[in-house]
C-alpha cells in the first residue's frame, strides 16, 4: 500500500503526516519525507493535531500503524501511551514497561526511532535525575512540547515547570 503525506503547521514547526491507507504511519517534524506523494489527509486527523496543540486533546484516537520496528521497539513505543498528558516518566520506567527493566539505554535508542512522535509521546520520557535526555527531532522541540502540555494540563501550581528555567 502506498504512503502519502500531508503537512500540518504546528507551534513546533512543520509536521509531515505520513498516511498509509486510513492510518497514520508516521510523523516527521521538519523533515520532508522522500518517496511519497503529497495528498490531503483525513480532516479528522488534522483536527486531532489542532486540538492537541490547542490543549483540548489529551490523547490521539486516530488509527495508526507501525510499519517498522523490532518487537522490543514496538513495546517501547506502545508503552509511551501509558504516560499521561502533561506528565513525564523515565527511560528506566519505559524499559520496565517494555519488559526489559535493565534496558534503559536500549529503550532510549528505541525512542530515537519512534515513527510517530507526538502521537506516541516520546517527548514525555526524561532522565531519572530530571534532565531532559535526548530527542531526535531537536531537544528544543521536546522542551516546547513539554511546556505546551504543562500549560494545558490540569496542573495549577503557582511555581514554574522545572523545564522552563
Amino acid at each position: 500500500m502506498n504512503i502519502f503525506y500531508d503537512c500540518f503547521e504546528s507551534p513546533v514547526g512543520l509536521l509531515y503526516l505520513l498516511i498509509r491507507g486510513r492510518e497514520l504511519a508516521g510523523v516527521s517534524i521538519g523533515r520532508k519525507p522522500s518517496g511519497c506523494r503529497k495528498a490531503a489527509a483525513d480532516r479528522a486527523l488534522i483536527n486531532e493535531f489542532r486540538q492537541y496543540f490547542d490543549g483540548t486533546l489529551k490523547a490521539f484516537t486516530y488509527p495508526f500503524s507501525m510499519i517498522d520496528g523490532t518487537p522490543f521497539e514496538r513495546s517501547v513505543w506502545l508503552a509511551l501511551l501509558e504516560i499521561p498528558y502533561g506528565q513525564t516518566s523515565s527511560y528506566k520506567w519505559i524499559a520496565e514497561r517494555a519488559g526489559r527493566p535493565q534496558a534503559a539505554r536500549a529503550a532510549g535508542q528505541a525512542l530515537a526511532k519512534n515513527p510517530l512522535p507526538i502521537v506516541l509521546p516520546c517527548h514525555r520520557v526524561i532522565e531519572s535525575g530530571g534532565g531532559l535526555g535526548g530527542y531526535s527531532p531537536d531537544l528544543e522541540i521536546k522542551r516546547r512540547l513539554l511546556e505546551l502540555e504543562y500549560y494545558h494540563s490540569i496542573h495549577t501550581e503557582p511555581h514554574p515547570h522545572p523545564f522552563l528555567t
Side-chain angles (χ1 to χ4, degrees):
M1 189 174 291
N2 291 335
I3 295 178
F4 67 89
Y5 75 91
D6 199 356
C7 300
F8 178 82
E9 186 64 49
S10 80
V12 297
L14 190 60
L15 303 182
Y16 293 93
L17 309 177
L18 284 74
I19 311 298
R20 182 175 179 236
R22 294 181 174 258
E23 296 176 322
L24 180 64
V27 176
S28 179
I29 302 173
R31 292 189 187 113
K32 185 177 180 182
S34 61
C36 17
R37 63 182 175 82
K38 176 134 175 41
D42 185 343
R43 298 305 336 145
L45 175 60
I46 298 298
N47 285 337
E48 283 203 7
F49 274 93
R50 273 196 192 105
Q51 292 168 350
Y52 169 79
F53 283 107
D54 74 15
T56 59
L57 181 77
K58 306 303 184 204
F60 288 85
T61 60
Y62 196 85
F64 65 86
S65 62
M66 291 183 277
I67 298 169
D68 296 317
T70 67
F72 176 70
E73 289 170 339
R74 288 173 179 238
S75 65
V76 166
W77 300 335
L78 291 175
L80 295 167
L81 296 172
E82 297 179 44
I83 307 171
Y85 181 93
Q87 297 182 28
T88 57
S89 290
S90 69
Y91 292 95
K92 179 178 175 25
W93 183 89
I94 285 291
E96 290 168 354
R97 287 296 204 224
R100 291 182 48 197
Q102 302 303 315
R105 187 172 299 243
Q109 291 169 343
L111 293 176
K113 298 176 185 178
N114 178 5
L116 295 157
I118 301 172
V119 175
L120 299 178
C122 53
H123 61 276
R124 295 179 190 158
V125 180
I126 61 171
E127 296 173 344
S128 295
L132 283 180
Y135 194 63
S136 55
D138 181 89
L139 199 54
E140 186 56 32
I141 292 172
K142 181 175 187 170
R143 182 184 313 278
R144 291 177 64 200
L145 289 168
L146 290 170
E147 290 172 355
L148 179 140
E149 288 188 10
Y150 177 76
Y151 283 117
H152 287 129
S153 71
I154 60 171
H155 297 279
T156 58
E157 297 97 60
H159 54 81
H161 189 279
F163 300 122
L164 303 181
T165 56

